[in-house]
Amino acid sequence: MNLIQLPTEGMWTYWVIQEVAGNPYNVAVPHPIHLHGHDFYVLGTGTTTWTASDAASLNYNNPTRRDVAMLPTNGWLALAFVTDNPGAWLMHCHIAWHADEGLAVQFLESASTIGTVAQIPADFQSQCSAWDSYYNGHPAYLQHDSGV
């Protein structure tokens, strides 16, 4: 699992996502990148490989705010968000089989305060047990991926 811990609240966090050629197959397509738990700021995109010189072209002055942004084919997407929402948040490609194949990352944000923000409901374990009972009872459709 791809897990990145973001332990400090109230910090800006910056990410550059690069789309690269696959191996052994190169299916060059754009990827709609979605982040749960936050809107993020799109600082920039490019259609080539990211280099340090691309940092000079990033927009920090009123950038576009989104919860989905397109990662260009063979390009990059630069985004930022503030760690102001404790939880476990998934960032993934919105093409379901891409997420299933691993184009996703989990941010664990401010883990030490999650329990103070959102208490686990009393029926949490019974819901898990109900799912286990249903799924292990041979459902009509088997779940083969995360369902994202």
Side-chain angles (χ1 to χ4, degrees):
M1 177 174 186
N2 299 322
L3 176 69
I4 298 174
Q5 294 196 34
L6 304 173
T8 307
E9 290 185 50
M11 299 286 294
W12 278 98
T13 180
Y14 301 88
W15 303 94
V16 175
I17 306 167
Q18 176 73 55
E19 202 262 354
V20 296
N23 183 5
Y25 306 106
N26 182 19
V27 181
V29 296
H31 301 276
I33 302 298
H34 173 61
L35 175 60
H36 292 250
H38 288 277
D39 286 341
F40 54 79
Y41 294 90
V42 179
L43 303 179
T45 63
T47 57
T48 60
T49 301
W50 167 267
T51 65
S53 64
D54 290 316
S57 68
L58 296 180
N59 175 20
Y60 296 97
N61 184 19
N62 196 25
T64 302
R65 190 171 138 190
R66 294 281 183 263
D67 72 349
V68 177
M70 195 62 73
L71 169 61
T73 303
N74 297 320
W76 55 268
L77 169 66
L79 52 89
F81 63 92
V82 179
T83 55
D84 61 359
N85 189 13
W89 304 116
L90 183 65
M91 180 188 289
H92 62 93
C93 178
H94 239 282
I95 300 172
W97 65 271
H98 291 184
D100 183 44
E101 292 294 316
L103 187 46
V105 64
Q106 188 85 26
F107 293 114
L108 183 56
E109 182 177 340
S110 306
S112 65
T113 63
I114 290 172
T116 63
V117 175
Q119 298 297 317
I120 296 174
D123 63 346
F124 179 80
Q125 192 57 48
S126 68
Q127 292 177 24
C128 292
S129 298
W131 169 255
D132 289 342
S133 177
Y134 162 76
Y135 194 73
N136 294 328
H138 308 290
Y141 299 99
L142 294 176
Q143 181 178 350
H144 68 278
D145 63 14
S146 66
V148 172

